[in-house]
Amino acid sequence: MRNPFRLIRVRLTLWHVLSLALLLAAFSGGVYFALHSALQDNLESGIESRSDVLVRLIQVENGLPALPLQLPPAASNGDDSDDELEEELDDEQLILIFDSSGALLLDTSDPDEKIPSLSAEIQPVIAGSRRWLSVSGDDDTFRVLAVPINRDGITIGALAVGESDEDIGDTLESLTNIIRVAFPVTILLAAVVGLLLAHRALAPIDRITRTARQLSAKDLSQRLDLDLPDDELGRLARTFDEMLERLETAFQRQRQFTSDASHELRTPLTIIKGQIEVTLSRPRDAVAYREVLGAIGEQSDRMIDLVNSLLLLARADAGQIPIQRDPVDVAAAVEIAIDELRLLAEEHDVRLSFDGQAATITADLTLFHQVLFNLLHNAIRHTPAGGSVQVNWSLGRGSLRLEVHDTGLGIAPEQLPRIFDRFYRVDVARARNEGGAGIGLAICRWIVEAHGGSISAESEVGAGSTFVVILPTG
Ligand code: ADP
């Protein structure tokens, strides 16, 4: 069985319950101590006011302090009745009067309480200082305020007024009982609710996991397609679907690339094999063999070019082609490319020309040369005899604009957007005879974009085409 503590929902709930328990404990403790101190203050202020009244009421009889028989209501700590002394003082209150030697003159406490003698504690009071005492009887503990009784500047005794703190104990005990029940019930409820909430919130993750498990590399067409709100999990599911989309496209492109490349290589290999078979079918003279070997050499060159291009694209895809950035003289680079293709242009009876201001850009010279070569090569091949190919360039704001213009066949508008795709050829039969595999422009696009530039084409069927390259100068 799976360890439940490895589930996020269980761990979340545990943390939630633990923090709630700590908070509740701190809160309960705070309430307990605040209530305790408020009740204690209340008790003491009641005792104090009663003591203040009593000490003023005390009369002197035979040189000794004594209480009048009847006490006014104030002495009963707010009680309205004006009954006799005994009724005023229930067994939770006590009044003690001492003479100046510390001998007990009056004790109103319940005899059953057996209040201990306070003679020793009362001595400092007779000496002039009031003090709080805690006195334990048999049943209750009393909070007692002892004050000196002064008449005409002389201390004639001491008065001790006390009240049992039983009520405080009872109130705090009730509170403790409430907390004792409420605490575990709250924690239990929090755990159940927390677990349910966590389960609900994390349910989409289970759905994502289940769907992801069903996906295989072969069938990347599946999507999660979860109808989730735009929250964290919704975004996760959508990001996952987008990633699948990209993976599917990349896989498809990869498959297409492999099949196109194999197809392109099969054509020259089939031609070579056919020529060899035909040639070997009967004896031939040296001239015939030379001719065939020449044709085979041509097909081999085509394959070498193709394999080099494929390799370049594969390495470009893998990010393995480092781009060396050096200052490149545009005019010089154009001139070199034109020189290389002059013979081909003469064969096609196509006029080559170039024009542009002095311009230097920072680029990889070899790759820039490849772009110029591919564009010029295409332009010459697709321009009928008597036509012309022209290269123009100018510097704009931080960029070079280079155009290769031809007066060739042009490209149909519906084909124009696809000519930069790999292995795309406008007229397959014609292009193959001319040696094109539909990779030249794909390579141009990769090179230009790798330099942070862009490439596009404008064309009119029958009038010619213009390929525009924009490259940043820096
Ligand atoms: P290829 O190596 O087969 O020429 P490219 O990628 O260079 O492949 O070009 C793709 C297609 O674009 C070609 O099949 C060709 O028909 C078309 N094309 C390229 N340049 C021109 C041009 N200057 N004029 C007319 N068509 C062109």
Side-chain angles (χ1 to χ4, degrees), residues 378-379 381-382 406 410-411 419 424-427 430-431 436-442 465 467:
N378 277 349
R381 280 190 300 143
H382 295 105
D406 66 60
I411 304 159
I419 55 171
Y424 184 78
R425 285 172 303 215
V426 172
D427 180 343
R430 193 190 68 203
I439 300 183
L441 288 179
S465 314
F467 283 79

mmCIF file with all atom_site columns, all heavy atoms in Angstrom, residues 378-379 381-382 406 410-411 419 424-427 430-431 436-442 465 467, ligand 1:
data_model
loop_
_atom_site.group_PDB
_atom_site.id
_atom_site.type_symbol
_atom_site.label_atom_id
_atom_site.label_alt_id
_atom_site.label_comp_id
_atom_site.label_asym_id
_atom_site.label_entity_id
_atom_site.label_seq_id
_atom_site.pdbx_PDB_ins_code
_atom_site.Cartn_x
_atom_site.Cartn_y
_atom_site.Cartn_z
_atom_site.occupancy
_atom_site.B_iso_or_equiv
_atom_site.pdbx_formal_charge
_atom_site.auth_seq_id
_atom_site.auth_comp_id
_atom_site.auth_asym_id
_atom_site.auth_atom_id
_atom_site.pdbx_PDB_model_num
ATOM   1   N N   . ASN A 1 378 ? 19.838 30.281 -57.030 1.00 0.00 ? 378 ASN A N   1
ATOM   2   C CA  . ASN A 1 378 ? 18.418 30.111 -57.362 1.00 0.00 ? 378 ASN A CA  1
ATOM   3   C C   . ASN A 1 378 ? 18.011 31.080 -58.467 1.00 0.00 ? 378 ASN A C   1
ATOM   4   O O   . ASN A 1 378 ? 17.338 30.701 -59.425 1.00 0.00 ? 378 ASN A O   1
ATOM   5   C CB  . ASN A 1 378 ? 17.538 30.405 -56.139 1.00 0.00 ? 378 ASN A CB  1
ATOM   6   C CG  . ASN A 1 378 ? 17.445 29.196 -55.222 1.00 0.00 ? 378 ASN A CG  1
ATOM   7   O OD1 . ASN A 1 378 ? 17.853 28.114 -55.608 1.00 0.00 ? 378 ASN A OD1 1
ATOM   8   N ND2 . ASN A 1 378 ? 16.923 29.396 -54.025 1.00 0.00 ? 378 ASN A ND2 1
ATOM   9   N N   . ALA A 1 379 ? 18.416 32.348 -58.297 1.00 0.00 ? 379 ALA A N   1
ATOM   10  C CA  . ALA A 1 379 ? 17.991 33.393 -59.245 1.00 0.00 ? 379 ALA A CA  1
ATOM   11  C C   . ALA A 1 379 ? 18.481 33.056 -60.647 1.00 0.00 ? 379 ALA A C   1
ATOM   12  O O   . ALA A 1 379 ? 17.717 33.157 -61.630 1.00 0.00 ? 379 ALA A O   1
ATOM   13  C CB  . ALA A 1 379 ? 18.518 34.752 -58.786 1.00 0.00 ? 379 ALA A CB  1
ATOM   14  N N   . ARG A 1 381 ? 19.314 30.084 -61.851 1.00 0.00 ? 381 ARG A N   1
ATOM   15  C CA  . ARG A 1 381 ? 18.679 28.863 -62.368 1.00 0.00 ? 381 ARG A CA  1
ATOM   16  C C   . ARG A 1 381 ? 17.235 29.108 -62.829 1.00 0.00 ? 381 ARG A C   1
ATOM   17  O O   . ARG A 1 381 ? 16.735 28.411 -63.685 1.00 0.00 ? 381 ARG A O   1
ATOM   18  C CB  . ARG A 1 381 ? 18.695 27.783 -61.290 1.00 0.00 ? 381 ARG A CB  1
ATOM   19  C CG  . ARG A 1 381 ? 20.061 27.088 -61.192 1.00 0.00 ? 381 ARG A CG  1
ATOM   20  C CD  . ARG A 1 381 ? 19.979 25.886 -60.315 1.00 0.00 ? 381 ARG A CD  1
ATOM   21  N NE  . ARG A 1 381 ? 19.567 26.271 -58.968 1.00 0.00 ? 381 ARG A NE  1
ATOM   22  C CZ  . ARG A 1 381 ? 18.761 25.542 -58.219 1.00 0.00 ? 381 ARG A CZ  1
ATOM   23  N NH1 . ARG A 1 381 ? 18.253 24.438 -58.681 1.00 0.00 ? 381 ARG A NH1 1
ATOM   24  N NH2 . ARG A 1 381 ? 18.449 25.937 -57.011 1.00 0.00 ? 381 ARG A NH2 1
ATOM   25  N N   . HIS A 1 382 ? 16.558 30.079 -62.159 1.00 0.00 ? 382 HIS A N   1
ATOM   26  C CA  . HIS A 1 382 ? 15.155 30.288 -62.505 1.00 0.00 ? 382 HIS A CA  1
ATOM   27  C C   . HIS A 1 382 ? 14.938 31.467 -63.438 1.00 0.00 ? 382 HIS A C   1
ATOM   28  O O   . HIS A 1 382 ? 13.827 31.955 -63.574 1.00 0.00 ? 382 HIS A O   1
ATOM   29  C CB  . HIS A 1 382 ? 14.320 30.460 -61.220 1.00 0.00 ? 382 HIS A CB  1
ATOM   30  C CG  . HIS A 1 382 ? 14.311 29.223 -60.392 1.00 0.00 ? 382 HIS A CG  1
ATOM   31  N ND1 . HIS A 1 382 ? 15.037 29.098 -59.230 1.00 0.00 ? 382 HIS A ND1 1
ATOM   32  C CD2 . HIS A 1 382 ? 13.699 28.033 -60.584 1.00 0.00 ? 382 HIS A CD2 1
ATOM   33  C CE1 . HIS A 1 382 ? 14.865 27.904 -58.719 1.00 0.00 ? 382 HIS A CE1 1
ATOM   34  N NE2 . HIS A 1 382 ? 14.051 27.224 -59.521 1.00 0.00 ? 382 HIS A NE2 1
ATOM   35  N N   . ASP A 1 406 ? 15.596 39.147 -59.686 1.00 0.00 ? 406 ASP A N   1
ATOM   36  C CA  . ASP A 1 406 ? 15.804 38.493 -60.980 1.00 0.00 ? 406 ASP A CA  1
ATOM   37  C C   . ASP A 1 406 ? 14.616 38.760 -61.892 1.00 0.00 ? 406 ASP A C   1
ATOM   38  O O   . ASP A 1 406 ? 13.534 39.131 -61.427 1.00 0.00 ? 406 ASP A O   1
ATOM   39  C CB  . ASP A 1 406 ? 16.055 36.988 -60.812 1.00 0.00 ? 406 ASP A CB  1
ATOM   40  C CG  . ASP A 1 406 ? 14.847 36.246 -60.279 1.00 0.00 ? 406 ASP A CG  1
ATOM   41  O OD1 . ASP A 1 406 ? 13.790 36.261 -60.917 1.00 0.00 ? 406 ASP A OD1 1
ATOM   42  O OD2 . ASP A 1 406 ? 14.968 35.635 -59.188 1.00 0.00 ? 406 ASP A OD2 1
ATOM   43  N N   . GLY A 1 410 ? 9.359  33.723 -61.743 1.00 0.00 ? 410 GLY A N   1
ATOM   44  C CA  . GLY A 1 410 ? 8.488  34.144 -60.648 1.00 0.00 ? 410 GLY A CA  1
ATOM   45  C C   . GLY A 1 410 ? 7.884  32.950 -59.910 1.00 0.00 ? 410 GLY A C   1
ATOM   46  O O   . GLY A 1 410 ? 8.023  31.794 -60.334 1.00 0.00 ? 410 GLY A O   1
ATOM   47  N N   . ILE A 1 411 ? 7.238  33.245 -58.808 1.00 0.00 ? 411 ILE A N   1
ATOM   48  C CA  . ILE A 1 411 ? 6.650  32.181 -57.976 1.00 0.00 ? 411 ILE A CA  1
ATOM   49  C C   . ILE A 1 411 ? 5.184  32.537 -57.737 1.00 0.00 ? 411 ILE A C   1
ATOM   50  O O   . ILE A 1 411 ? 4.855  33.697 -57.430 1.00 0.00 ? 411 ILE A O   1
ATOM   51  C CB  . ILE A 1 411 ? 7.388  32.086 -56.609 1.00 0.00 ? 411 ILE A CB  1
ATOM   52  C CG1 . ILE A 1 411 ? 8.896  31.874 -56.840 1.00 0.00 ? 411 ILE A CG1 1
ATOM   53  C CG2 . ILE A 1 411 ? 6.834  30.958 -55.746 1.00 0.00 ? 411 ILE A CG2 1
ATOM   54  C CD1 . ILE A 1 411 ? 9.752  32.250 -55.677 1.00 0.00 ? 411 ILE A CD1 1
ATOM   55  N N   . ILE A 1 419 ? 8.045  28.465 -49.747 1.00 0.00 ? 419 ILE A N   1
ATOM   56  C CA  . ILE A 1 419 ? 9.345  28.193 -50.380 1.00 0.00 ? 419 ILE A CA  1
ATOM   57  C C   . ILE A 1 419 ? 10.502 28.107 -49.391 1.00 0.00 ? 419 ILE A C   1
ATOM   58  O O   . ILE A 1 419 ? 11.532 27.536 -49.699 1.00 0.00 ? 419 ILE A O   1
ATOM   59  C CB  . ILE A 1 419 ? 9.684  29.228 -51.494 1.00 0.00 ? 419 ILE A CB  1
ATOM   60  C CG1 . ILE A 1 419 ? 9.603  30.637 -50.931 1.00 0.00 ? 419 ILE A CG1 1
ATOM   61  C CG2 . ILE A 1 419 ? 8.795  29.055 -52.691 1.00 0.00 ? 419 ILE A CG2 1
ATOM   62  C CD1 . ILE A 1 419 ? 10.137 31.668 -51.906 1.00 0.00 ? 419 ILE A CD1 1
ATOM   63  N N   . TYR A 1 424 ? 10.774 21.912 -49.802 1.00 0.00 ? 424 TYR A N   1
ATOM   64  C CA  . TYR A 1 424 ? 9.667  22.399 -50.628 1.00 0.00 ? 424 TYR A CA  1
ATOM   65  C C   . TYR A 1 424 ? 10.209 22.891 -51.960 1.00 0.00 ? 424 TYR A C   1
ATOM   66  O O   . TYR A 1 424 ? 11.112 23.726 -52.014 1.00 0.00 ? 424 TYR A O   1
ATOM   67  C CB  . TYR A 1 424 ? 8.895  23.526 -49.926 1.00 0.00 ? 424 TYR A CB  1
ATOM   68  C CG  . TYR A 1 424 ? 7.700  23.940 -50.739 1.00 0.00 ? 424 TYR A CG  1
ATOM   69  C CD1 . TYR A 1 424 ? 6.547  23.165 -50.719 1.00 0.00 ? 424 TYR A CD1 1
ATOM   70  C CD2 . TYR A 1 424 ? 7.755  25.039 -51.598 1.00 0.00 ? 424 TYR A CD2 1
ATOM   71  C CE1 . TYR A 1 424 ? 5.468  23.496 -51.521 1.00 0.00 ? 424 TYR A CE1 1
ATOM   72  C CE2 . TYR A 1 424 ? 6.675  25.380 -52.393 1.00 0.00 ? 424 TYR A CE2 1
ATOM   73  C CZ  . TYR A 1 424 ? 5.537  24.598 -52.357 1.00 0.00 ? 424 TYR A CZ  1
ATOM   74  O OH  . TYR A 1 424 ? 4.463  24.913 -53.153 1.00 0.00 ? 424 TYR A OH  1
ATOM   75  N N   . ARG A 1 425 ? 9.624  22.357 -53.037 1.00 0.00 ? 425 ARG A N   1
ATOM   76  C CA  . ARG A 1 425 ? 10.012 22.802 -54.379 1.00 0.00 ? 425 ARG A CA  1
ATOM   77  C C   . ARG A 1 425 ? 8.756  23.181 -55.144 1.00 0.00 ? 425 ARG A C   1
ATOM   78  O O   . ARG A 1 425 ? 7.724  22.534 -55.011 1.00 0.00 ? 425 ARG A O   1
ATOM   79  C CB  . ARG A 1 425 ? 10.746 21.683 -55.116 1.00 0.00 ? 425 ARG A CB  1
ATOM   80  C CG  . ARG A 1 425 ? 12.166 21.511 -54.596 1.00 0.00 ? 425 ARG A CG  1
ATOM   81  C CD  . ARG A 1 425 ? 12.787 20.299 -55.189 1.00 0.00 ? 425 ARG A CD  1
ATOM   82  N NE  . ARG A 1 425 ? 11.987 19.128 -54.907 1.00 0.00 ? 425 ARG A NE  1
ATOM   83  C CZ  . ARG A 1 425 ? 12.499 17.933 -54.687 1.00 0.00 ? 425 ARG A CZ  1
ATOM   84  N NH1 . ARG A 1 425 ? 13.789 17.770 -54.724 1.00 0.00 ? 425 ARG A NH1 1
ATOM   85  N NH2 . ARG A 1 425 ? 11.730 16.912 -54.455 1.00 0.00 ? 425 ARG A NH2 1
ATOM   86  N N   . VAL A 1 426 ? 8.895  24.224 -55.916 1.00 0.00 ? 426 VAL A N   1
ATOM   87  C CA  . VAL A 1 426 ? 7.719  24.698 -56.651 1.00 0.00 ? 426 VAL A CA  1
ATOM   88  C C   . VAL A 1 426 ? 7.362  23.710 -57.755 1.00 0.00 ? 426 VAL A C   1
ATOM   89  O O   . VAL A 1 426 ? 6.273  23.172 -57.814 1.00 0.00 ? 426 VAL A O   1
ATOM   90  C CB  . VAL A 1 426 ? 7.978  26.101 -57.240 1.00 0.00 ? 426 VAL A CB  1
ATOM   91  C CG1 . VAL A 1 426 ? 6.842  26.505 -58.164 1.00 0.00 ? 426 VAL A CG1 1
ATOM   92  C CG2 . VAL A 1 426 ? 8.127  27.103 -56.103 1.00 0.00 ? 426 VAL A CG2 1
ATOM   93  N N   . ASP A 1 427 ? 8.306  23.424 -58.608 1.00 0.00 ? 427 ASP A N   1
ATOM   94  C CA  . ASP A 1 427 ? 8.068  22.473 -59.691 1.00 0.00 ? 427 ASP A CA  1
ATOM   95  C C   . ASP A 1 427 ? 9.032  21.315 -59.473 1.00 0.00 ? 427 ASP A C   1
ATOM   96  O O   . ASP A 1 427 ? 10.199 21.377 -59.835 1.00 0.00 ? 427 ASP A O   1
ATOM   97  C CB  . ASP A 1 427 ? 8.325  23.175 -61.042 1.00 0.00 ? 427 ASP A CB  1
ATOM   98  C CG  . ASP A 1 427 ? 8.079  22.225 -62.210 1.00 0.00 ? 427 ASP A CG  1
ATOM   99  O OD1 . ASP A 1 427 ? 8.031  20.999 -61.959 1.00 0.00 ? 427 ASP A OD1 1
ATOM   100 O OD2 . ASP A 1 427 ? 7.928  22.718 -63.343 1.00 0.00 ? 427 ASP A OD2 1
ATOM   101 N N   . ARG A 1 430 ? 11.015 19.742 -62.505 1.00 0.00 ? 430 ARG A N   1
ATOM   102 C CA  . ARG A 1 430 ? 12.010 20.646 -63.083 1.00 0.00 ? 430 ARG A CA  1
ATOM   103 C C   . ARG A 1 430 ? 13.162 20.900 -62.110 1.00 0.00 ? 430 ARG A C   1
ATOM   104 O O   . ARG A 1 430 ? 14.320 20.823 -62.454 1.00 0.00 ? 430 ARG A O   1
ATOM   105 C CB  . ARG A 1 430 ? 11.326 21.967 -63.453 1.00 0.00 ? 430 ARG A CB  1
ATOM   106 C CG  . ARG A 1 430 ? 12.176 22.851 -64.340 1.00 0.00 ? 430 ARG A CG  1
ATOM   107 C CD  . ARG A 1 430 ? 11.564 24.213 -64.477 1.00 0.00 ? 430 ARG A CD  1
ATOM   108 N NE  . ARG A 1 430 ? 11.614 24.910 -63.200 1.00 0.00 ? 430 ARG A NE  1
ATOM   109 C CZ  . ARG A 1 430 ? 10.800 25.893 -62.882 1.00 0.00 ? 430 ARG A CZ  1
ATOM   110 N NH1 . ARG A 1 430 ? 9.842  26.255 -63.700 1.00 0.00 ? 430 ARG A NH1 1
ATOM   111 N NH2 . ARG A 1 430 ? 10.908 26.496 -61.726 1.00 0.00 ? 430 ARG A NH2 1
ATOM   112 N N   . ALA A 1 431 ? 12.787 21.133 -60.848 1.00 0.00 ? 431 ALA A N   1
ATOM   113 C CA  . ALA A 1 431 ? 13.814 21.454 -59.859 1.00 0.00 ? 431 ALA A CA  1
ATOM   114 C C   . ALA A 1 431 ? 14.773 20.292 -59.650 1.00 0.00 ? 431 ALA A C   1
ATOM   115 O O   . ALA A 1 431 ? 15.974 20.485 -59.524 1.00 0.00 ? 431 ALA A O   1
ATOM   116 C CB  . ALA A 1 431 ? 13.150 21.822 -58.537 1.00 0.00 ? 431 ALA A CB  1
ATOM   117 N N   . GLY A 1 436 ? 18.058 20.725 -57.498 1.00 0.00 ? 436 GLY A N   1
ATOM   118 C CA  . GLY A 1 436 ? 17.547 21.288 -56.234 1.00 0.00 ? 436 GLY A CA  1
ATOM   119 C C   . GLY A 1 436 ? 16.799 20.265 -55.413 1.00 0.00 ? 436 GLY A C   1
ATOM   120 O O   . GLY A 1 436 ? 16.065 19.440 -55.944 1.00 0.00 ? 436 GLY A O   1
ATOM   121 N N   . ALA A 1 437 ? 17.002 20.317 -54.098 1.00 0.00 ? 437 ALA A N   1
ATOM   122 C CA  . ALA A 1 437 ? 16.286 19.410 -53.203 1.00 0.00 ? 437 ALA A CA  1
ATOM   123 C C   . ALA A 1 437 ? 15.316 20.176 -52.321 1.00 0.00 ? 437 ALA A C   1
ATOM   124 O O   . ALA A 1 437 ? 14.659 19.608 -51.465 1.00 0.00 ? 437 ALA A O   1
ATOM   125 C CB  . ALA A 1 437 ? 17.276 18.636 -52.335 1.00 0.00 ? 437 ALA A CB  1
ATOM   126 N N   . GLY A 1 438 ? 15.246 21.474 -52.535 1.00 0.00 ? 438 GLY A N   1
ATOM   127 C CA  . GLY A 1 438 ? 14.315 22.273 -51.725 1.00 0.00 ? 438 GLY A CA  1
ATOM   128 C C   . GLY A 1 438 ? 14.860 22.606 -50.355 1.00 0.00 ? 438 GLY A C   1
ATOM   129 O O   . GLY A 1 438 ? 14.107 22.825 -49.406 1.00 0.00 ? 438 GLY A O   1
ATOM   130 N N   . ILE A 1 439 ? 16.170 22.670 -50.216 1.00 0.00 ? 439 ILE A N   1
ATOM   131 C CA  . ILE A 1 439 ? 16.763 22.944 -48.909 1.00 0.00 ? 439 ILE A CA  1
ATOM   132 C C   . ILE A 1 439 ? 17.452 24.312 -48.873 1.00 0.00 ? 439 ILE A C   1
ATOM   133 O O   . ILE A 1 439 ? 17.616 24.905 -47.811 1.00 0.00 ? 439 ILE A O   1
ATOM   134 C CB  . ILE A 1 439 ? 17.795 21.851 -48.532 1.00 0.00 ? 439 ILE A CB  1
ATOM   135 C CG1 . ILE A 1 439 ? 17.098 20.495 -48.496 1.00 0.00 ? 439 ILE A CG1 1
ATOM   136 C CG2 . ILE A 1 439 ? 18.402 22.110 -47.174 1.00 0.00 ? 439 ILE A CG2 1
ATOM   137 C CD1 . ILE A 1 439 ? 18.000 19.398 -48.069 1.00 0.00 ? 439 ILE A CD1 1
ATOM   138 N N   . GLY A 1 440 ? 17.848 24.804 -50.042 1.00 0.00 ? 440 GLY A N   1
ATOM   139 C CA  . GLY A 1 440 ? 18.644 26.041 -50.112 1.00 0.00 ? 440 GLY A CA  1
ATOM   140 C C   . GLY A 1 440 ? 18.025 27.205 -49.349 1.00 0.00 ? 440 GLY A C   1
ATOM   141 O O   . GLY A 1 440 ? 18.694 27.858 -48.531 1.00 0.00 ? 440 GLY A O   1
ATOM   142 N N   . LEU A 1 441 ? 16.733 27.468 -49.563 1.00 0.00 ? 441 LEU A N   1
ATOM   143 C CA  . LEU A 1 441 ? 16.106 28.613 -48.899 1.00 0.00 ? 441 LEU A CA  1
ATOM   144 C C   . LEU A 1 441 ? 15.898 28.353 -47.405 1.00 0.00 ? 441 LEU A C   1
ATOM   145 O O   . LEU A 1 441 ? 15.942 29.288 -46.603 1.00 0.00 ? 441 LEU A O   1
ATOM   146 C CB  . LEU A 1 441 ? 14.768 28.948 -49.583 1.00 0.00 ? 441 LEU A CB  1
ATOM   147 C CG  . LEU A 1 441 ? 14.887 29.586 -50.980 1.00 0.00 ? 441 LEU A CG  1
ATOM   148 C CD1 . LEU A 1 441 ? 13.508 29.858 -51.563 1.00 0.00 ? 441 LEU A CD1 1
ATOM   149 C CD2 . LEU A 1 441 ? 15.689 30.884 -50.907 1.00 0.00 ? 441 LEU A CD2 1
ATOM   150 N N   . ALA A 1 442 ? 15.681 27.068 -47.054 1.00 0.00 ? 442 ALA A N   1
ATOM   151 C CA  . ALA A 1 442 ? 15.529 26.730 -45.619 1.00 0.00 ? 442 ALA A CA  1
ATOM   152 C C   . ALA A 1 442 ? 16.827 27.060 -44.885 1.00 0.00 ? 442 ALA A C   1
ATOM   153 O O   . ALA A 1 442 ? 16.815 27.603 -43.771 1.00 0.00 ? 442 ALA A O   1
ATOM   154 C CB  . ALA A 1 442 ? 15.182 25.256 -45.455 1.00 0.00 ? 442 ALA A CB  1
ATOM   155 N N   . SER A 1 465 ? 11.428 37.695 -59.446 1.00 0.00 ? 465 SER A N   1
ATOM   156 C CA  . SER A 1 465 ? 11.311 37.608 -57.982 1.00 0.00 ? 465 SER A CA  1
ATOM   157 C C   . SER A 1 465 ? 12.354 38.496 -57.329 1.00 0.00 ? 465 SER A C   1
ATOM   158 O O   . SER A 1 465 ? 13.414 38.755 -57.908 1.00 0.00 ? 465 SER A O   1
ATOM   159 C CB  . SER A 1 465 ? 11.543 36.178 -57.503 1.00 0.00 ? 465 SER A CB  1
ATOM   160 O OG  . SER A 1 465 ? 10.828 35.270 -58.303 1.00 0.00 ? 465 SER A OG  1
ATOM   161 N N   . PHE A 1 467 ? 14.240 38.609 -53.546 1.00 0.00 ? 467 PHE A N   1
ATOM   162 C CA  . PHE A 1 467 ? 14.439 38.074 -52.191 1.00 0.00 ? 467 PHE A CA  1
ATOM   163 C C   . PHE A 1 467 ? 15.077 39.175 -51.348 1.00 0.00 ? 467 PHE A C   1
ATOM   164 O O   . PHE A 1 467 ? 16.076 39.769 -51.741 1.00 0.00 ? 467 PHE A O   1
ATOM   165 C CB  . PHE A 1 467 ? 15.313 36.814 -52.226 1.00 0.00 ? 467 PHE A CB  1
ATOM   166 C CG  . PHE A 1 467 ? 14.548 35.607 -52.701 1.00 0.00 ? 467 PHE A CG  1
ATOM   167 C CD1 . PHE A 1 467 ? 14.312 35.422 -54.063 1.00 0.00 ? 467 PHE A CD1 1
ATOM   168 C CD2 . PHE A 1 467 ? 14.026 34.690 -51.806 1.00 0.00 ? 467 PHE A CD2 1
ATOM   169 C CE1 . PHE A 1 467 ? 13.579 34.324 -54.521 1.00 0.00 ? 467 PHE A CE1 1
ATOM   170 C CE2 . PHE A 1 467 ? 13.294 33.603 -52.241 1.00 0.00 ? 467 PHE A CE2 1
ATOM   171 C CZ  . PHE A 1 467 ? 13.075 33.413 -53.608 1.00 0.00 ? 467 PHE A CZ  1
HETATM 172 P P1  . ADP B 2 .   ? 16.189 24.235 -54.383 1.00 0.00 ? 1   ADP B P1  1
HETATM 173 O O1  . ADP B 2 .   ? 17.495 23.870 -53.805 1.00 0.00 ? 1   ADP B O1  1
HETATM 174 O O2  . ADP B 2 .   ? 15.413 23.055 -54.854 1.00 0.00 ? 1   ADP B O2  1
HETATM 175 O O3  . ADP B 2 .   ? 16.265 25.344 -55.371 1.00 0.00 ? 1   ADP B O3  1
HETATM 176 P P2  . ADP B 2 .   ? 15.237 26.166 -52.543 1.00 0.00 ? 1   ADP B P2  1
HETATM 177 O O4  . ADP B 2 .   ? 14.907 25.966 -51.136 1.00 0.00 ? 1   ADP B O4  1
HETATM 178 O O5  . ADP B 2 .   ? 16.441 26.971 -52.868 1.00 0.00 ? 1   ADP B O5  1
HETATM 179 O O6  . ADP B 2 .   ? 15.330 24.729 -53.186 1.00 0.00 ? 1   ADP B O6  1
HETATM 180 O O7  . ADP B 2 .   ? 13.994 26.785 -53.245 1.00 0.00 ? 1   ADP B O7  1
HETATM 181 C C1  . ADP B 2 .   ? 12.718 26.280 -53.047 1.00 0.00 ? 1   ADP B C1  1
HETATM 182 C C2  . ADP B 2 .   ? 11.829 26.524 -54.266 1.00 0.00 ? 1   ADP B C2  1
HETATM 183 O O8  . ADP B 2 .   ? 11.653 27.906 -54.464 1.00 0.00 ? 1   ADP B O8  1
HETATM 184 C C3  . ADP B 2 .   ? 12.451 26.015 -55.508 1.00 0.00 ? 1   ADP B C3  1
HETATM 185 O O9  . ADP B 2 .   ? 11.871 24.780 -55.856 1.00 0.00 ? 1   ADP B O9  1
HETATM 186 C C4  . ADP B 2 .   ? 12.135 27.026 -56.564 1.00 0.00 ? 1   ADP B C4  1
HETATM 187 O O10 . ADP B 2 .   ? 11.091 26.593 -57.378 1.00 0.00 ? 1   ADP B O10 1
HETATM 188 C C5  . ADP B 2 .   ? 11.663 28.229 -55.793 1.00 0.00 ? 1   ADP B C5  1
HETATM 189 N N1  . ADP B 2 .   ? 12.571 29.357 -56.032 1.00 0.00 ? 1   ADP B N1  1
HETATM 190 C C6  . ADP B 2 .   ? 13.639 29.702 -55.314 1.00 0.00 ? 1   ADP B C6  1
HETATM 191 N N2  . ADP B 2 .   ? 14.242 30.808 -55.791 1.00 0.00 ? 1   ADP B N2  1
HETATM 192 C C7  . ADP B 2 .   ? 13.520 31.176 -56.872 1.00 0.00 ? 1   ADP B C7  1
HETATM 193 C C8  . ADP B 2 .   ? 13.629 32.239 -57.802 1.00 0.00 ? 1   ADP B C8  1
HETATM 194 N N3  . ADP B 2 .   ? 14.597 33.158 -57.736 1.00 0.00 ? 1   ADP B N3  1
HETATM 195 N N4  . ADP B 2 .   ? 12.717 32.311 -58.809 1.00 0.00 ? 1   ADP B N4  1
HETATM 196 C C9  . ADP B 2 .   ? 11.730 31.394 -58.900 1.00 0.00 ? 1   ADP B C9  1
HETATM 197 N N5  . ADP B 2 .   ? 11.576 30.362 -58.035 1.00 0.00 ? 1   ADP B N5  1
HETATM 198 C C10 . ADP B 2 .   ? 12.460 30.259 -57.030 1.00 0.00 ? 1   ADP B C10 1
#
